[in-house]
Amino acid sequence: MDVRKRNRVSVTGRKDGPVVVLAHGFGCDQNLWRLVVPELEKHFRVVLFDHVGAGGSDVSAWSPERYSTLDGYVQDVIELCQELGLGPVTFVGHSVSSMIGVLAVVQEPGLFDKLVLLTPSPSYIDDGDYRGGFSEQDIDELLDSLDSNYLGWSATVAPVIMGNPDRPELGEELTNSFCRMDPEIARVFARVTFLSDNRADLSKVSVPTLVAESARDTLVPREVGAFVHRQIPGSELVTLDSTGHCPQLSAPQETAEAIIAFVQGS
């Protein structure tokens, strides 16, 4: 398998700069990083890719067996880093890709220099003192709705995830991104995203980590960012002055600045 073709890998920016790998979340593709990339390219070698089943990836590489857990995506990231051979990288994971990054670092810490978790959630479901933001019933209803009418679900849910109702073009962009995804693949990936519980993996992270939460995230409560920060030894927590779950679109300058400051820090 040609990893570069499979994941539509592109490499831009400074050839002599530290390497930053940007990983998108559910229903998205590498295009959602476009507003932060020009700033990052000034400082870093920037690697963009699409998860299998998203964007311009090789959809024929997708199978429910490989991608019914996060592990399939984790193996893809490890293979991508090994294939590029660019040395230890900073992995920037948005949303579910933040946990893909956590698991990749735990498996192959030598491939990674630093880790940036953008609006992460190790578990979306409330559990005792842990507040993930949703009850089990909430998630069941969300997934049932997705199963019955994926396009209608996307049109309803994507603008809520994006937030920023005063900027409807952002919600429309995320809706269109969701709708481009094959419904079968989306159903499997949604279950992986919303039903995974990676709380116990956070303490195993051994590289410097930045937790970047959104001040007004419609999907992930602020308590989650604080929880992730507490669980990852020595991690840093920054609260972006942004609304919604996709600050790389709603607050790209602040998002880029946070990544740059962390990567360039000692």
Side-chain angles (χ1 to χ4, degrees):
M1 172 61 66
D2 182 341
V3 173
R4 294 173 185 256
K5 178 174 179 283
R6 180 188 68 191
N7 292 103
R8 195 178 61 136
V9 178
S10 65
V11 184
T12 65
R14 290 180 49 174
K15 291 186 177 180
D16 61 342
V19 181
V20 172
V21 177
L22 303 177
H24 65 83
F26 168 82
C28 306
D29 58 28
Q30 62 184 263
N31 186 56
L32 263 72
W33 292 108
R34 70 185 186 282
L35 299 182
V36 303
V37 166
E39 204 60 40
L40 298 182
E41 286 176 332
K42 298 175 185 176
H43 307 274
F44 312 126
R45 195 164 196 187
V46 178
V47 178
L48 292 158
F49 73 97
D50 292 335
H51 287 303
V52 170
S57 67
D58 182 358
V59 179
S60 69
W62 186 87
S63 70
E65 293 78 23
R66 181 175 175 92
Y67 297 103
S68 61
T69 70
L70 288 181
D71 190 58
Y73 298 98
V74 172
Q75 297 312 312
D76 286 356
V77 166
I78 290 171
E79 291 168 10
L80 186 155
C81 291
Q82 292 171 334
E83 168 70 20
L84 293 177
L86 297 174
V89 306
T90 293
F91 183 88
V92 182
H94 171 236
S95 195
V96 66
S97 279
S98 61
M99 292 305 112
I100 292 171
V102 163
L103 294 174
V105 165
V106 171
Q107 280 195 36
E108 295 288 347
L111 293 174
F112 302 94
D113 184 38
K114 293 183 178 182
L115 182 61
V116 178
L117 309 179
L118 183 63
T119 62
S121 176
S123 175
Y124 287 93
I125 297 175
D126 299 337
D127 179 25
D129 293 336
Y130 174 80
R131 181 173 175 239
F134 298 87
S135 67
E136 287 190 40
Q137 182 179 348
D138 291 335
I139 295 297
D140 287 344
E141 290 175 355
L142 181 148
L143 294 174
D144 286 346
S145 176
L146 184 154
D147 287 343
S148 63
N149 181 2
Y150 177 63
L151 294 182
W153 178 88
S154 299
T156 300
V157 171
V160 175
I161 292 174
M162 178 58 70
N164 295 276
D166 56 325
R167 301 163 69 188
E169 69 279 4
L170 296 181
E172 290 170 11
E173 176 172 348
L174 192 61
T175 299
N176 292 335
S177 179
F178 276 28
C179 291
R180 285 193 296 270
M181 197 169 189
D182 178 275
E184 179 188 357
I185 294 174
R187 289 185 189 104
V188 175
F189 198 12
R191 277 172 166 71
V192 173
T193 298
F194 290 107
L195 296 177
S196 294
D197 184 350
N198 298 105
R199 287 176 290 173
D201 298 299
L202 298 175
S203 63
K204 304 172 189 174
V205 173
S206 57
V207 302
T209 301
L210 174 68
V211 180
E213 64 179 3
S214 183
R216 297 166 294 278
D217 192 330
T218 47
L219 196 62
V220 179
R222 289 281 296 278
E223 292 94 328
V224 174
F227 176 86
V228 174
H229 171 49
R230 286 196 307 272
Q231 296 299 308
I232 298 181
S235 64
E236 300 177 27
L237 174 64
V238 63
T239 303
L240 304 171
D241 185 17
S242 58
T243 297
H245 192 60
C246 303
Q248 69 269 54
L249 278 182
S250 62
Q253 186 65 33
E254 188 173 3
T255 301
E257 288 173 357
I259 295 170
I260 292 166
F262 177 68
V263 177
Q264 291 184 334
S266 58

